[in-house]
Amino acid sequence: MKQTTTFPKVAKDMFLVQLYWAFGFLGIMLVIHIVKIITAFIQGNEVDSYYNSVFVAANIFMLVIGLISVYFLPHYAGNGVTRKDYFKGGLLASIGLSVVIPIIAICISVIGQFILKNMANIGLKEPNLNEVVLDIDSNIIGDIVQSVILTPFVDPGSNWILAIGLFSLNIFMYYLVGWFISASFYRYDTITGLGSILLGLISLTLVDVLIRMSLNLPVADRFSSLDLPAVITIPGIFVIIVIIIWIIRVLTKRVSIKM
């Protein structure tokens, strides 16, 4: 008898649960943004757009969601779902979440900018997230800070399709790294888990640099001597992503379930 495929239901369930968490995150960011607007109105200052604020914070949010995602496995395994279906469903859910969050952020941001410009008469700060990287010391710690906080940025006002695509790619990568780290801790010992954190940070740094080179964005001094063409950097980004996905599959394929 052919085994029933259940990964579409897993994908739907995980996506809806994580989307609910995302709504909470986006709601908190909106409240913070409103407080900033009120403060800027009182002080006569400019304020960042909602999109820019979410762009910076979403990386950490998706990393945390990725860390939690492995703990869906015992629930599904306990209900007869195969590890393969859990993996495929989780991967599809992460892709969906990575696409939806930027779309919601840009929609709220457009509405907010209209209100600020036409009703509150509050100016918006020019995004300078790419230039900030040049002010960070060129050392390992600086590179890590850059990769976690200052991911490559494209202003939606200049190219909203590229902006959303880049936003989605950034947070998808953070989700995968979180999933990879949690799966390593779940399957192996603490030492192996700590090693996965290092590998995850290296992966984030490499993807960050390759994206910047692909889009001709500023890179840290450590990598400024490199001048790789897009025919190398773009495939390199996807190779890294595919490798991480493959490792997650290997880690979850035969892992013992901790009920």
Side-chain angles (χ1 to χ4, degrees), residues 28-29 52 91 115 120 139 158 168 191 193 199 212 214 223 238 249:
I28 292 173
M29 293 300 300
N52 293 351
L91 183 60
I115 294 174
N139 53 50
S158 62
S168 297
I191 300 299
L199 290 177
R212 290 180 180 278
S214 300
F223 305 101
F238 288 97
R249 171 57 181 151

Side-chain angles (χ1 to χ4, degrees), residues 51 106 154-166:
Y51 179 88
I106 200 169
V154 171
D155 186 1
S158 62
N159 189 330
W160 68 269
I161 296 178
L162 179 60
I164 290 178
L166 182 58

Side-chain angles (χ1 to χ4, degrees), residues 115-226:
I115 294 174
L116 292 178
K117 291 180 179 180
N118 296 278
M119 298 182 183
N121 195 28
I122 298 176
L124 290 173
K125 292 180 180 179
E126 291 293 329
N128 62 346
L129 298 177
N130 292 319
E131 283 72 19
V132 174
V133 67
L134 299 177
D135 298 327
I136 297 178
D137 293 336
S138 182
N139 53 50
I140 295 177
I141 301 301
D143 294 340
I144 292 173
V145 171
Q146 170 193 320
S147 300
V148 174
I149 300 178
L150 302 173
T151 49
F153 176 82
V154 171
D155 186 1
S158 62
N159 189 330
W160 68 269
I161 296 178
L162 179 60
I164 290 178
L166 182 58
F167 193 168
S168 297
L169 177 61
N170 283 333
I171 60 178
F172 178 61
M173 184 66 189
Y174 275 80
Y175 187 106
L176 290 180
V177 168
W179 196 2
F180 161 61
I181 292 172
S182 62
S184 298
F185 273 100
Y186 193 88
R187 178 164 181 175
Y188 296 112
D189 54 22
T190 302
I191 300 299
T192 304
L194 292 175
S196 70
I197 295 176
L198 177 60
L199 290 177
L201 291 174
I202 292 174
S203 299
L204 290 174
T205 301
L206 288 176
V207 170
D208 178 277
V209 172
L210 292 176
I211 291 176
R212 290 180 180 278
M213 290 181 178
S214 300
L215 300 176
N216 293 318
L217 299 176
V219 297
D221 290 341
R222 182 185 299 274
F223 305 101
S224 59
S225 60
L226 297 177

Side-chain angles (χ1 to χ4, degrees), residues 17-18 42 44 54 83 85-86 98 198 217-218 224 230 242 251:
V17 170
Q18 294 173 342
I42 295 173
V54 173
R83 292 165 177 77
D85 282 339
Y86 153 77
S98 299
L198 177 60
L217 299 176
S224 59
V242 169
L251 290 173

